[in-house]
Amino acid sequence: MNKKVKFVLVTVSVALVFAALIGLWIGTRNVNIMKDVDINEIEKIEIYQNNKASILSEENDVKEFVKLFESMELDKTFSNSKEGYAFSIDVYYKNGKESKIIVRSSEIIIDGKFYKCDKSYCDDVRKIYEAHIEQ
């Protein structure tokens, strides 16, 4: 191969690697998972732990839940295939849409997408859960 072809191949390869790194960085940067949620569109939220449910349907309760999730610092990540959860949460919208949220100590899964947490939010979710537990 002559020098021009080698130079073009190396340049294209470096550009592709650079583009992949930028794509990976954009895809994993900090996200706000509840930024576009209209509280008035949520019908109810069910939080499960150990087969017991806590149901949030009052506007103030839903606001408290959304505010917690808006405050979370999450980064997109890949599945680490751990099993189990601390809380399983179902969000029901008035338009019939549903979202499934799994809260683990260092990870949150929303509709099958994995997010790494800056801290464990289990205690924060537990406070909301315990305040609304069905007896």
Side-chain angles (χ1 to χ4, degrees), residues 59-71:
E59 184 177 346
N60 287 338
D61 300 335
V62 171
K63 279 183 184 179
E64 179 184 12
F65 177 85
V66 171
K67 185 177 177 182
L68 169 63
F69 274 78
E70 284 177 336
S71 72

Side-chain angles (χ1 to χ4, degrees), residues 4 8 11 22 24 38 43 46 57 59 64 66 80 84 89 99-100 103 112 121 126 129-130:
K4 281 188 176 183
V8 168
T11 303
I22 288 174
L24 185 60
D38 181 357
E43 182 178 330
E46 296 177 353
S57 57
E59 184 177 346
E64 179 184 12
V66 171
N80 60 8
I89 303 167
S99 288
K100 181 74 166 183
V103 178
Y121 288 97
R126 182 175 287 106
Y129 169 81
E130 289 175 350

Side-chain angles (χ1 to χ4, degrees), residues 42-60:
I42 296 176
E43 182 178 330
K44 68 178 176 177
I45 299 168
E46 296 177 353
I47 305 173
Y48 294 94
Q49 185 184 43
N50 299 327
N51 297 321
K52 290 184 179 179
S54 180
I55 299 175
L56 312 175
S57 57
E58 298 297 321
E59 184 177 346
N60 287 338

Side-chain angles (χ1 to χ4, degrees), residues 89-129:
I89 303 167
D90 295 321
V91 180
Y92 297 93
Y93 296 89
K94 292 177 181 173
N95 65 4
K97 182 184 168 196
E98 297 178 19
S99 288
K100 181 74 166 183
I101 302 171
I102 303 294
V103 178
R104 296 180 182 162
S105 61
S106 63
E107 181 176 67
I108 292 180
I109 307 164
I110 302 168
D111 295 328
K113 295 178 184 171
F114 289 77
Y115 300 90
K116 183 178 178 177
C117 306
D118 63 323
K119 67 174 193 159
S120 174
Y121 288 97
C122 292
D123 288 338
D124 299 318
V125 174
R126 182 175 287 106
K127 287 177 188 173
I128 296 172
Y129 169 81

Side-chain angles (χ1 to χ4, degrees), residues 12-90:
V12 168
S13 297
V14 169
L16 288 173
V17 168
F18 187 67
L21 289 173
I22 288 174
L24 185 60
W25 176 77
I26 289 172
T28 60
R29 70 177 189 245
N30 192 283
V31 294
N32 184 336
I33 56 173
M34 290 282 191
K35 71 176 181 170
D36 296 327
V37 172
D38 181 357
I39 293 170
N40 296 318
E41 294 300 317
I42 296 176
E43 182 178 330
K44 68 178 176 177
I45 299 168
E46 296 177 353
I47 305 173
Y48 294 94
Q49 185 184 43
N50 299 327
N51 297 321
K52 290 184 179 179
S54 180
I55 299 175
L56 312 175
S57 57
E58 298 297 321
E59 184 177 346
N60 287 338
D61 300 335
V62 171
K63 279 183 184 179
E64 179 184 12
F65 177 85
V66 171
K67 185 177 177 182
L68 169 63
F69 274 78
E70 284 177 336
S71 72
M72 292 180 176
E73 293 189 27
L74 305 174
D75 294 316
K76 288 183 184 177
T77 188
F78 301 100
S79 169
N80 60 8
S81 70
K82 290 181 184 175
E83 296 293 324
Y85 63 91
F87 294 93
S88 176
I89 303 167
D90 295 321

